[in-house]
Each structure stands twice: as C-alpha cells, then as structure tokens.
mmCIF file of all heavy atoms in Angstrom:
data_model
loop_
_atom_site.group_PDB
_atom_site.id
_atom_site.type_symbol
_atom_site.label_atom_id
_atom_site.label_comp_id
_atom_site.label_asym_id
_atom_site.label_seq_id
_atom_site.Cartn_x
_atom_site.Cartn_y
_atom_site.Cartn_z
ATOM 1 N N PHE A 1040 0.783 -1.214 0.047
ATOM 2 C CA PHE A 1040 0.048 -0.024 -0.081
ATOM 3 C C PHE A 1040 0.874 1.262 -0.045
ATOM 4 O O PHE A 1040 0.453 2.317 -0.535
ATOM 5 C CB PHE A 1040 -0.838 -0.022 1.286
ATOM 6 C CG PHE A 1040 -1.745 1.079 1.336
ATOM 7 C CD1 PHE A 1040 -3.061 1.226 0.578
ATOM 8 C CD2 PHE A 1040 -1.553 2.240 2.250
ATOM 9 C CE1 PHE A 1040 -3.850 2.341 0.771
ATOM 10 C CE2 PHE A 1040 -2.413 3.305 2.339
ATOM 11 C CZ PHE A 1040 -3.499 3.372 1.624
ATOM 12 N N ILE A 1041 2.020 1.094 0.673
ATOM 13 C CA ILE A 1041 2.857 2.410 0.800
ATOM 14 C C ILE A 1041 3.763 2.691 -0.410
ATOM 15 O O ILE A 1041 3.733 3.849 -0.938
ATOM 16 C CB ILE A 1041 3.788 2.197 1.952
ATOM 17 C CG1 ILE A 1041 3.119 2.037 3.273
ATOM 18 C CG2 ILE A 1041 4.832 3.337 2.045
ATOM 19 C CD1 ILE A 1041 3.830 1.683 4.492
ATOM 20 N N VAL A 1042 4.453 1.730 -1.054
ATOM 21 C CA VAL A 1042 5.467 1.896 -2.066
ATOM 22 C C VAL A 1042 4.882 2.572 -3.347
ATOM 23 O O VAL A 1042 5.477 3.452 -3.860
ATOM 24 C CB VAL A 1042 6.101 0.511 -2.400
ATOM 25 C CG1 VAL A 1042 7.142 0.694 -3.599
ATOM 26 C CG2 VAL A 1042 6.847 0.077 -1.120
ATOM 27 N N PRO A 1043 3.736 2.090 -3.875
ATOM 28 C CA PRO A 1043 3.219 2.807 -5.042
ATOM 29 C C PRO A 1043 2.910 4.325 -4.875
ATOM 30 O O PRO A 1043 2.897 5.012 -5.859
ATOM 31 C CB PRO A 1043 1.900 1.991 -5.382
ATOM 32 C CG PRO A 1043 2.088 0.691 -4.628
ATOM 33 C CD PRO A 1043 2.750 1.009 -3.370
ATOM 34 N N ALA A 1044 2.636 4.586 -3.688
ATOM 35 C CA ALA A 1044 2.413 6.175 -3.300
ATOM 36 C C ALA A 1044 3.618 6.936 -3.260
ATOM 37 O O ALA A 1044 3.614 8.106 -3.133
ATOM 38 C CB ALA A 1044 1.619 6.249 -2.060
ATOM 39 N N GLU A 1045 4.791 6.254 -3.468
ATOM 40 C CA GLU A 1045 6.161 7.035 -3.291
ATOM 41 C C GLU A 1045 6.926 6.936 -4.558
ATOM 42 O O GLU A 1045 7.907 7.804 -4.625
ATOM 43 C CB GLU A 1045 6.907 6.354 -2.079
ATOM 44 C CG GLU A 1045 6.171 6.480 -0.775
ATOM 45 C CD GLU A 1045 7.039 5.851 0.280
ATOM 46 O OE1 GLU A 1045 7.601 4.706 0.053
ATOM 47 O OE2 GLU A 1045 7.221 6.476 1.389
ATOM 48 N N LEU A 1046 6.657 6.073 -5.592
ATOM 49 C CA LEU A 1046 7.611 5.831 -6.603
ATOM 50 C C LEU A 1046 7.315 6.700 -7.817
ATOM 51 O O LEU A 1046 8.255 6.944 -8.643
ATOM 52 C CB LEU A 1046 7.604 4.382 -7.020
ATOM 53 C CG LEU A 1046 8.536 3.458 -6.143
ATOM 54 C CD1 LEU A 1046 8.330 1.945 -6.671
ATOM 55 C CD2 LEU A 1046 9.950 3.796 -6.228
ATOM 56 N N PHE A 1047 6.168 7.106 -8.006
ATOM 57 C CA PHE A 1047 5.800 7.653 -9.397
ATOM 58 C C PHE A 1047 5.693 9.149 -9.439
ATOM 59 O O PHE A 1047 5.375 9.730 -8.291
ATOM 60 C CB PHE A 1047 4.487 6.893 -9.847
ATOM 61 C CG PHE A 1047 4.646 5.433 -9.828
ATOM 62 C CD1 PHE A 1047 4.123 4.650 -8.952
ATOM 63 C CD2 PHE A 1047 5.193 4.738 -10.940
ATOM 64 C CE1 PHE A 1047 4.217 3.286 -8.918
ATOM 65 C CE2 PHE A 1047 5.302 3.429 -11.026
ATOM 66 C CZ PHE A 1047 4.857 2.632 -9.991
ATOM 67 N N PRO A 1048 5.746 9.789 -10.690
ATOM 68 C CA PRO A 1048 5.597 11.218 -10.706
ATOM 69 C C PRO A 1048 4.233 11.561 -10.289
ATOM 70 O O PRO A 1048 3.210 10.838 -10.360
ATOM 71 C CB PRO A 1048 5.794 11.494 -12.237
ATOM 72 C CG PRO A 1048 6.516 10.319 -12.725
ATOM 73 C CD PRO A 1048 6.066 9.076 -11.914
ATOM 74 N N ALA A 1049 4.067 12.899 -9.836
ATOM 75 C CA ALA A 1049 2.892 13.416 -9.279
ATOM 76 C C ALA A 1049 1.707 13.211 -10.348
ATOM 77 O O ALA A 1049 0.529 12.902 -9.917
ATOM 78 C CB ALA A 1049 2.874 14.902 -8.879
ATOM 79 N N ARG A 1050 1.921 13.417 -11.631
ATOM 80 C CA ARG A 1050 0.770 13.296 -12.607
ATOM 81 C C ARG A 1050 0.343 11.863 -12.912
ATOM 82 O O ARG A 1050 -0.637 11.775 -13.478
ATOM 83 C CB ARG A 1050 1.205 14.086 -13.793
ATOM 84 C CG ARG A 1050 2.402 13.348 -14.596
ATOM 85 C CD ARG A 1050 2.984 14.163 -15.569
ATOM 86 N NE ARG A 1050 4.069 13.513 -16.432
ATOM 87 C CZ ARG A 1050 5.237 13.338 -15.939
ATOM 88 N NH1 ARG A 1050 5.514 13.726 -14.642
ATOM 89 N NH2 ARG A 1050 6.244 12.628 -16.702
ATOM 90 N N PHE A 1051 1.193 10.934 -12.378
ATOM 91 C CA PHE A 1051 0.742 9.408 -12.660
ATOM 92 C C PHE A 1051 0.599 8.684 -11.242
ATOM 93 O O PHE A 1051 0.295 7.523 -11.255
ATOM 94 C CB PHE A 1051 1.840 8.791 -13.412
ATOM 95 C CG PHE A 1051 2.093 9.315 -14.833
ATOM 96 C CD1 PHE A 1051 3.429 9.477 -15.213
ATOM 97 C CD2 PHE A 1051 1.031 9.661 -15.570
ATOM 98 C CE1 PHE A 1051 3.566 9.970 -16.455
ATOM 99 C CE2 PHE A 1051 1.219 10.203 -16.878
ATOM 100 C CZ PHE A 1051 2.477 10.379 -17.322
ATOM 101 N N ARG A 1052 0.859 9.364 -10.173
ATOM 102 C CA ARG A 1052 0.948 8.673 -8.846
ATOM 103 C C ARG A 1052 -0.302 7.962 -8.518
ATOM 104 O O ARG A 1052 -0.373 6.861 -8.222
ATOM 105 C CB ARG A 1052 1.269 9.661 -7.771
ATOM 106 C CG ARG A 1052 1.608 9.120 -6.413
ATOM 107 C CD ARG A 1052 2.216 10.063 -5.473
ATOM 108 N NE ARG A 1052 3.632 10.446 -6.023
ATOM 109 C CZ ARG A 1052 4.041 11.762 -5.962
ATOM 110 N NH1 ARG A 1052 3.377 12.693 -5.656
ATOM 111 N NH2 ARG A 1052 5.291 11.975 -6.584
ATOM 112 N N SER A 1053 -1.396 8.648 -8.521
ATOM 113 C CA SER A 1053 -2.733 8.099 -8.171
ATOM 114 C C SER A 1053 -3.142 6.909 -9.177
ATOM 115 O O SER A 1053 -3.598 5.908 -8.713
ATOM 116 C CB SER A 1053 -3.818 9.157 -8.085
ATOM 117 O OG SER A 1053 -5.098 8.620 -7.752
ATOM 118 N N THR A 1054 -2.886 7.185 -10.537
ATOM 119 C CA THR A 1054 -3.195 6.121 -11.509
ATOM 120 C C THR A 1054 -2.410 4.906 -11.215
ATOM 121 O O THR A 1054 -2.943 3.763 -11.199
ATOM 122 C CB THR A 1054 -2.891 6.678 -12.866
ATOM 123 O OG1 THR A 1054 -3.681 7.868 -13.031
ATOM 124 C CG2 THR A 1054 -3.250 5.675 -13.882
ATOM 125 N N CYS A 1055 -1.066 5.039 -11.082
ATOM 126 C CA CYS A 1055 -0.204 3.832 -10.816
ATOM 127 C C CYS A 1055 -0.494 3.081 -9.639
ATOM 128 O O CYS A 1055 -0.545 1.894 -9.504
ATOM 129 C CB CYS A 1055 1.214 4.251 -10.836
ATOM 130 S SG CYS A 1055 1.857 4.789 -12.458
ATOM 131 N N HIS A 1056 -0.991 3.786 -8.490
ATOM 132 C CA HIS A 1056 -1.382 3.108 -7.231
ATOM 133 C C HIS A 1056 -2.637 2.402 -7.525
ATOM 134 O O HIS A 1056 -2.743 1.297 -7.083
ATOM 135 C CB HIS A 1056 -1.543 4.184 -6.176
ATOM 136 C CG HIS A 1056 -1.650 3.520 -4.814
ATOM 137 N ND1 HIS A 1056 -2.790 2.890 -4.311
ATOM 138 C CD2 HIS A 1056 -0.808 3.543 -3.714
ATOM 139 C CE1 HIS A 1056 -2.542 2.567 -3.027
ATOM 140 N NE2 HIS A 1056 -1.401 2.888 -2.718
ATOM 141 N N GLY A 1057 -3.517 3.030 -8.216
ATOM 142 C CA GLY A 1057 -4.801 2.304 -8.572
ATOM 143 C C GLY A 1057 -4.532 1.058 -9.420
ATOM 144 O O GLY A 1057 -5.221 0.059 -9.179
ATOM 145 N N ILE A 1058 -3.644 1.102 -10.412
ATOM 146 C CA ILE A 1058 -3.361 -0.040 -11.161
ATOM 147 C C ILE A 1058 -2.773 -1.178 -10.282
ATOM 148 O O ILE A 1058 -3.128 -2.373 -10.471
ATOM 149 C CB ILE A 1058 -2.396 0.273 -12.426
ATOM 150 C CG1 ILE A 1058 -3.067 1.240 -13.339
ATOM 151 C CG2 ILE A 1058 -1.803 -0.872 -13.027
ATOM 152 C CD1 ILE A 1058 -2.195 1.820 -14.392
ATOM 153 N N SER A 1059 -1.855 -0.800 -9.486
ATOM 154 C CA SER A 1059 -1.134 -1.782 -8.609
ATOM 155 C C SER A 1059 -2.248 -2.522 -7.668
ATOM 156 O O SER A 1059 -2.285 -3.726 -7.463
ATOM 157 C CB SER A 1059 -0.141 -1.086 -7.665
ATOM 158 O OG SER A 1059 0.891 -0.473 -8.610
ATOM 159 N N GLY A 1060 -3.166 -1.669 -6.965
ATOM 160 C CA GLY A 1060 -4.132 -2.141 -6.085
ATOM 161 C C GLY A 1060 -5.138 -2.912 -7.012
ATOM 162 O O GLY A 1060 -5.640 -3.977 -6.355
ATOM 163 N N ALA A 1061 -5.507 -2.496 -8.136
ATOM 164 C CA ALA A 1061 -6.402 -3.351 -8.982
ATOM 165 C C ALA A 1061 -5.856 -4.714 -9.254
ATOM 166 O O ALA A 1061 -6.605 -5.757 -9.268
ATOM 167 C CB ALA A 1061 -6.739 -2.710 -10.213
ATOM 168 N N MET A 1062 -4.555 -4.821 -9.519
ATOM 169 C CA MET A 1062 -3.905 -6.082 -9.714
ATOM 170 C C MET A 1062 -3.869 -6.990 -8.465
ATOM 171 O O MET A 1062 -4.073 -8.193 -8.493
ATOM 172 C CB MET A 1062 -2.481 -5.835 -10.183
ATOM 173 C CG MET A 1062 -2.369 -5.465 -11.617
ATOM 174 S SD MET A 1062 -3.116 -6.787 -12.818
ATOM 175 C CE MET A 1062 -2.079 -8.188 -12.418
ATOM 176 N N GLY A 1063 -3.883 -6.253 -7.367
ATOM 177 C CA GLY A 1063 -3.961 -6.944 -6.025
ATOM 178 C C GLY A 1063 -5.369 -7.609 -5.916
ATOM 179 O O GLY A 1063 -5.467 -8.731 -5.478
ATOM 180 N N LYS A 1064 -6.431 -6.931 -6.237
ATOM 181 C CA LYS A 1064 -7.739 -7.474 -6.105
ATOM 182 C C LYS A 1064 -8.012 -8.515 -7.075
ATOM 183 O O LYS A 1064 -8.935 -9.305 -6.952
ATOM 184 C CB LYS A 1064 -8.761 -6.280 -6.201
ATOM 185 C CG LYS A 1064 -8.754 -5.356 -5.059
ATOM 186 C CD LYS A 1064 -8.825 -6.165 -3.799
ATOM 187 C CE LYS A 1064 -8.612 -5.312 -2.444
ATOM 188 N NZ LYS A 1064 -7.174 -5.044 -2.191
#
C-alpha cells in the first residue's frame, strides 16, 4: 500500500497506485 504512493511522478501517482491495487484485487 505504501510503495506505489512513493515511486511515481505526481501526474501518474494516483493512477499507478490504482493499477497496482487493482492487480492486487
């Protein structure tokens, strides 16, 4: 939950976290 919120640029951060979480589900 933490790492995807720290790795990506601001304009992609929420999107990439959502993609990571969706793969989790």
Side-chain angles (χ1 to χ4, degrees):
F1040 181 80
I1041 295 172
V1042 174
E1045 299 181 311
L1046 274 178
F1047 302 99
R1050 66 194 182 283
F1051 300 137
R1052 187 168 293 134
S1053 180
T1054 301
C1055 291
H1056 194 286
I1058 292 171
S1059 302
M1062 285 301 299
K1064 291 305 174 282

